[in-house]
Amino acid sequence: QVPVVQSGGGSVQAGGSLRLSCTASEYIQRTYCMGWFRQHPGNKREAVAAIYIGGGTTFYGDSVKGRFTISQDLAKKTVYLEMNDLKPEDTAMYYCAADPCQHGVRGSWLLLAMGDSPYWVQGTQVNVSS
């Protein structure tokens, strides 16, 4: 497991924007993916977005396509999630994670969403009010 440190989040009105950042605390191989999941109390964990470090291939969950954009700064070992046109249903705890990406970006992220992980211990809250 690659330790990560995330920041950003907060509260915003519907239609607003927020940006999340996630930095790998140690060396991360370019064969890895990094990105975010989210979970609202009572709901199952959702794969939000991910990026393949080595090539930039991205994955987005259906509910955020066209509104969220994931990007990376390799030199800083950091990925960013730009969240635009936020909706109340985007309210959730957001968790950053890194994965060996052995099943491709989409496959790996969907698999990781279903399992237990130390990454689910600490997240950042996003609240969107109507």
Side-chain angles (χ1 to χ4, degrees), residues 3-16:
V4 297
V5 177
Q6 53 186 325
S7 62
S11 297
V12 68
Q13 289 190 325

Side-chain angles (χ1 to χ4, degrees), residues 18 26 91-93:
L18 288 171
E26 61 185 44
T91 294
M93 186 70 76

Side-chain angles (χ1 to χ4, degrees), residues 2-4 9 12 27 32 40 48 56 59 67 70 77 84 89 105 109 112 115 117 129:
V2 175
V4 297
V12 68
Y27 173 75
Y32 269 57
H40 187 79
V48 176
F59 159 80
R67 301 186 298 119
I70 190 168
K77 297 182 294 181
N84 297 317
E89 50 264 41
V105 182
W109 230 241
L112 190 55
S117 170
S129 58

Side-chain angles (χ1 to χ4, degrees), residues 14 16 18 22-23 25 32 35-36 50 57 60 62 70 76-77 85 88 93 96 103 106 108 121-122 127:
L18 288 171
C22 178
T23 300
S25 300
Y32 269 57
W36 278 269
T57 302
Y60 293 98
D62 289 341
I70 190 168
K76 296 182 178 179
K77 297 182 294 181
D85 189 24
M93 186 70 76
C96 178
H103 303 281
R106 179 178 182 274
S108 298
V121 172
Q122 186 169 1
N127 294 312

Side-chain angles (χ1 to χ4, degrees), residues 2-102:
V2 175
V4 297
V5 177
Q6 53 186 325
S7 62
S11 297
V12 68
Q13 289 190 325
S17 299
L18 288 171
R19 188 174 83 158
L20 304 181
S21 299
C22 178
T23 300
S25 300
E26 61 185 44
Y27 173 75
I28 183 167
Q29 296 183 37
R30 297 205 171 190
T31 54
Y32 269 57
C33 297
M34 286 182 68
W36 278 269
F37 301 83
R38 68 186 183 186
Q39 189 167 23
H40 187 79
N43 293 352
K44 66 178 181 180
R45 191 175 304 111
E46 179 184 3
V48 176
I51 188 166
Y52 181 65
I53 301 298
T57 302
T58 57
F59 159 80
Y60 293 98
D62 289 341
S63 62
V64 306
K65 284 180 181 177
R67 301 186 298 119
F68 291 14
T69 302
I70 190 168
S71 61
Q72 62 177 339
D73 184 328
L74 291 175
K76 296 182 178 179
K77 297 182 294 181
T78 299
V79 295
Y80 304 96
L81 186 66
E82 190 73 35
M83 304 183 291
N84 297 317
D85 189 24
L86 282 161
K87 304 176 180 181
E89 50 264 41
D90 294 317
T91 294
M93 186 70 76
Y94 284 68
Y95 301 93
C96 178
D99 186 84
C101 216
Q102 295 176 340

